[in-house]
Amino acid sequence: MNVNQASSTGTERRPAIAALLSLILPGLGQAWQGNLARGGGVFAVVTSALATTVWYGHPTWYIIPAALWMWNVWDCLRMPSGAPAWAAAILWLSMAYGIGWQVTEINLSALVQNGERAASILQPMLRPDFIIKRQNRTQYSVRVQVPCSPNPPRAQSTINGVTITASPDCVVVGENILVTARGLRPNFPTEVTWVTPTGGVIMLGENNAKMLTLNSDEQGNLTVMFPVPTGIQASEEFVQDYRIALTQVETLPGYELSPNGKYILQGIYETLALALLATALGAVLALPLSFLAARNLMGSNPITYSIYVLTRTFLNIFRSIEALILAIIFVIIVGLGPFPGMLALTIHTTAALGKLYSEVIEGIDPGPIEAVRATGATWAQTVRYAVIPQIIPSFTALTIYRWDINVRSSTIIGFVGGGGIGFFLWQWILLGDYRAVSASFITIAVVVIIMDFFSAQLRVQLH
């Protein structure tokens, strides 16, 4: 009777002791009661919440780890059933999302407050610059010195019956210059621009931000006066020849690629070629590595197992480095262009495909391997007759899928000078040409959708 009473008293004290232990260290009481998995989970939940709030440093958020600590004690008191896990989950997620919201500085009101700025970006994007109506552009120009040399040439030119004269013959920055033209197409809009020695075009309307467009008169004459743009580089000791260009654009029936549209096609071609070449080279390099990284082929003795470990380590290291980082390094080494982008994608593709190929090899049916080995076949013969026939369909599907990934990746690589359409896209963003940006987005999306469709169909046929 006394023994039973003592046993009953010890049982009643057990939850209290467990609760005290968990009050000292979260999860310790659960572990003391024999539930090691629950104790480890409770410890991870409470300590991760505490570590996050300590890192963030805002006193208000300490309420969450304190509440989780109390939940941990409550959980001990309610063992073996324990406290509701959803309560701890709600507390932990509240902490994670709440601190995450503040850390990422989410400010939804900024979208409303900067609505005018957003409209200035989105409105041009509704008119993508890819095709335009066919045009016949006729340009005439006259050379003007900035600043004056000792004997400046006459600022006059005659091209195809059109005579353009600038007065004075040489100017300094900010000085007014008078331009007259004779023989232009009558009653026709004419764009007036300032052209730098390198071919750059400076608009002359309203703070050099808009195109200056005037109509020629009934006789084809035009007269205009404007100040020399203040943004040009001019030195009193270094004389340069600039040009004043008059351009008349005639709209013809039909449509054609715009200048930016041609750049987009060039960029998308570079992107596809870059991705295709990187995928092909990466697949060729990954193929032998994948056999060395397959445990079922390399785990038979200590020497081959060591090769397996080294190969796996190599693949994991290079797979963990983002292709964008590799592209930046290669741009520094070999310069701008598609070549550094191709090198970066090739290395990342080799590591990624090597890992995927090896997992395919590890997942094949071991029966044929054992049968071939039983005949006394060498390692190479085992691979040739028992492994390769099983892996060809999966290898082909993974390679096609990787090309799909590389097309998207090469777009981002272009942002750091790795070539392709991403390079042009970055330039247009810097210049604020959002019509070209929009056309690039649409082109990239269409190409990716088409590739995804055909690659999916091909993977279905292979399986």
Side-chain angles (χ1 to χ4, degrees), residues 319-398:
R319 191 168 54 89
S320 64
I321 304 174
E322 181 57 44
L324 183 64
I325 306 300
L326 295 173
I328 294 174
I329 295 173
F330 282 117
V331 164
I332 296 173
I333 295 174
V334 303
L336 299 174
F339 182 52
M342 187 275 292
L343 291 175
L345 279 179
T346 298
I347 291 177
H348 197 269
T349 299
T350 300
L353 284 181
K355 176 72 162 52
L356 293 173
Y357 287 172
S358 66
E359 290 178 351
V360 170
I361 295 172
E362 290 177 347
I364 63 176
D365 183 3
I369 297 178
E370 295 172 359
V372 172
R373 281 178 176 171
T375 64
T378 63
W379 183 87
Q381 290 172 329
T382 302
V383 170
R384 167 66 180 85
Y385 295 104
V387 177
I388 290 179
Q390 298 188 65
I391 62 175
I392 288 177
S394 296
F395 274 30
T396 306
L398 287 172

Side-chain angles (χ1 to χ4, degrees), residues 73-96:
V73 175
W74 180 33
D75 184 66
C76 279
L77 292 172
R78 295 196 59 181
M79 290 294 285
S81 60
W86 57 263
I90 290 175
L91 287 170
W92 195 92
L93 291 173
S94 299
M95 176 273 304

